[in-house]
Amino acid sequence: MRRARRSRLPATAVSLATVLATAVSALALTPQPAAAAPNYVGDPVLYWNEALLGAIKTAGGAPGPISRAAAELNAAIYDAESSYQLRWHTMTSDPYLQAVNYAAWSEGPGEEERVVGRTAYNILLKLFPDQTTYLDNKLKERFGTNPTDFDLLDATVVSTVANNMWKFRTADGSDSQAVYTPDGKAGAWRPTSYQDLPDAGCNKGSQAAIPEWGKVKPWALTSGSQFRPSTPGQYASYQDLISSPAYAAQVQQVRSLGAAGSTTRTTDQTAAARFWANDANGTYKPPGQLLDITAQVSRSRGLTTYQNARLFALVSVAMADAGIAEWDVKYQTSIDLWRPVSAIREGLGDTGWKPLSGTTPCFPAWASGHSAFAAAWAGIMRQYFRSDDVTFTASTDDPKSPVRYRTFTSFSQAAREAADSRVWLGVHYPWDADDGLTLGENIATWVFTHKMRDTRP
């Protein structure tokens, strides 16, 4: 079968003698066809992240696995780039897992491109095996060669980097098939489909998305619960929560601001709600949108390949841990909070209320995943660039957004708007947004101070 013969990475280390003998034999005995000219336009880190976004749009799914894929790709790219920098004695920051000290033989032109690109291709192929044709074409577009063509760098560095990453994430808990059972109490999450909202979420409690994701092995944190916040409003039970004045105020805010026909939500808030949504399959989803914005900031500031590799790895690792920590909050705490549509329709009896979104994600409300992802991203960006006061233009691919671009004067401004947008969309309460922001910010600081640190004085 084609997929079996295309597995190029060796399971064990390959000696240099064997590698060189294979290379010499292949060159001496096999006619060498003329290769197409490589097309090294733009930075390779940005190129392969664009390939990731294309794969995400096709694959769809919950944001947790998407953030995991981004972290696996970009941490491996960073280790591949770190290996290249180590070879040339120019490495200035710690690798994520390992910088491979590969021998300085004559690897040929485009060495940095090939180290990054062939690592990225192999990681993406492992993550998205049903998108082989798409990924093969992305490699051919960049290199002008076929994925199966011999490349010495596969044996000397790429195989080690890729295998390190695969081993690191094996049995990390991400493949759990556990099914969720709702708590069944007033205030607890339940399926959110209604007769007049047939597309609003899901029909059965067992369909709740990835309930065990909070137990997945983190990328930098000590555990998914490391920065776990207190329960919403610090209430210990559903009864205490839903009988409190604070809860009533929260519900009224989203009831007013998040309604489909709201008269209190401004036109700009409506635009922002749609801009940051990215809930539907066929979009980049929240992690993908933030990676796309990272690329736009990178281009405007002219980052090098090495700088991009570290930035994207930091952002991706922080978002992956934000996804794990968020799902710990949603499912592993004593309050699995119902969505506003349930609180308003079932709790208040306003059965005609509809959220602006028209749909509701199929998992508990508290806390907001969008908020945690955005804060983790903003925290890394601020610390990486050593300033929050950076003006940039962000884009969206949500088909319902009335605008494609929004301009911000700081990373924290964008994160705050992304968090608030979930209230304006009618799918979250204000404390979901606030607690998600705090969680993401704590994660960003931990990641930046513990992983891939700058080693220069």
Side-chain angles (χ1 to χ4, degrees):
M1 295 294 289
R2 180 172 184 262
R3 192 166 295 167
R5 72 176 177 81
R6 290 183 58 248
S7 179
R8 300 180 312 285
L9 298 185
T12 57
V14 179
S15 70
L16 280 176
T18 301
V19 169
L20 290 176
T22 301
V24 170
S25 176
L27 291 173
L29 302 178
T30 305
Q32 300 298 307
N39 182 27
Y40 301 152
V41 176
D43 188 278
V45 177
L46 303 186
Y47 179 85
W48 289 103
N49 271 275
E50 288 176 356
L52 169 67
L53 295 185
I56 288 172
K57 292 185 72 168
T58 298
I66 289 171
S67 65
R68 178 185 181 274
E72 190 161 341
L73 171 69
N74 282 305
I77 284 177
Y78 175 66
D79 277 357
E81 175 65 19
S82 295
S83 301
Y84 174 79
Q85 297 294 332
L86 177 64
R87 161 159 151 61
W88 294 101
H89 308 289
T90 50
M91 193 168 74
T92 58
S93 54
D94 293 330
Y96 178 69
L97 292 177
Q98 177 191 8
V100 179
N101 189 9
Y102 64 101
W105 300 94
S106 178
E107 276 77 15
E111 180 183 341
E112 184 178 25
E113 277 278 350
R114 288 156 51 216
V115 168
V116 170
R118 296 185 76 85
T119 298
Y121 168 80
N122 279 283
I123 294 294
L124 287 171
L125 194 65
K126 185 84 168 183
L127 291 168
F128 303 99
D130 57 341
Q131 298 192 47
T132 299
T133 300
Y134 165 72
L135 296 172
D136 284 358
N137 288 337
K138 295 302 291 185
L139 187 136
K140 292 176 187 176
E141 176 186 307
R142 190 74 175 176
F143 293 106
T145 58
N146 292 313
T148 51
D149 290 350
F150 175 82
D151 193 311
L152 183 63
L153 291 171
D154 282 346
T156 58
V157 57
V158 170
S159 63
T160 301
V161 172
N163 280 324
N164 283 347
M165 184 56 63
W166 295 339
K167 291 175 183 177
F168 176 63
R169 298 315 298 183
T170 296
D172 65 356
S174 61
D175 58 352
S176 171
Q177 300 298 312
V179 174
Y180 179 70
T181 301
D183 290 344
K185 300 176 181 179
W189 182 86
R190 71 278 316 279
T192 52
S193 286
Y194 297 91
Q195 188 171 2
D196 61 331
L197 290 172
D199 297 324
C202 48
N203 298 306
K204 297 183 295 184
S206 60
Q207 293 175 324
I210 52 174
E212 297 287 290
W213 198 261
K215 299 178 181 180
V216 169
K217 175 183 175 181
W219 294 77
L221 301 183
T222 58
S223 71
S225 62
Q226 182 177 347
F227 293 111
R228 179 191 288 176
S230 168
T231 54
Q234 301 186 29
Y235 294 100
S237 69
Y238 290 111
Q239 180 57 41
D240 290 344
L241 174 68
I242 66 174
S243 62
S244 69
Y247 167 80
Q250 292 274 318
V251 174
Q252 287 302 332
Q253 284 189 63
V254 68
R255 184 185 188 186
S256 175
L257 289 170
S262 173
T263 58
T264 56
R265 185 181 59 245
T266 68
T267 300
D268 189 62
Q269 288 171 339
T270 299
R274 296 293 194 190
F275 180 89
W276 290 107
N278 288 283
D279 285 317
N281 288 335
T283 70
Y284 294 155
K285 297 299 182 83
Q289 183 180 22
L290 292 166
L291 287 173
D292 183 57
I293 297 171
T294 304
Q296 294 178 51
V297 174
S298 165
R299 291 188 182 97
S300 71
R301 300 181 75 85
L303 299 190
T304 66
T305 297
Y306 191 20
Q307 291 169 335
N308 271 329
R310 179 169 176 256
L311 174 61
F312 274 79
L314 285 167
V315 163
S316 298
V317 165
M319 289 197 298
D321 273 358
I324 294 168
E326 253 306 325
W327 260 250
D328 168 81
V329 173
K330 288 182 182 295
Y331 289 107
Q332 305 304 323
T333 57
S334 59
I335 302 291
D336 298 352
L337 189 61
W338 60 7
R339 290 281 175 171
V341 67
S342 301
I344 296 167
R345 289 194 167 207
E346 300 178 38
L348 300 182
D350 185 356
T351 57
W353 188 87
K354 297 180 181 180
L356 173 63
S357 65
T359 62
T360 299
C362 194
F363 39 80
W366 182 74
S368 164
H370 276 67
S371 303
F373 285 126
W377 169 83
I380 292 294
M381 297 293 280
R382 185 188 70 249
Q383 293 174 84
Y384 183 90
F385 290 108
R386 302 183 182 181
S387 175
D388 193 31
D389 299 325
V390 175
T391 297
F392 61 95
T393 297
S395 63
T396 184
D397 70 333
D398 193 292
K400 293 184 179 179
S401 177
V403 297
R404 285 286 169 258
Y405 302 96
R406 290 179 72 84
T407 298
F408 302 91
T409 57
S410 70
F411 301 123
S412 60
Q413 180 194 25
R416 180 77 250 184
E417 183 180 271
D420 290 341
S421 74
R422 306 303 285 171
V423 178
W424 303 331
L425 203 62
V427 297
H428 276 290
Y429 310 92
W431 54 27
D432 298 345
D434 293 340
D435 290 345
L437 284 173
T438 300
L439 180 63
E441 176 63 28
N442 287 336
I443 291 168
T445 297
W446 179 269
V447 170
F448 195 83
T449 55
H450 287 78
K451 293 293 180 180
M452 298 170 278
R453 292 171 293 191
D454 193 329
T455 55
R456 293 171 296 183

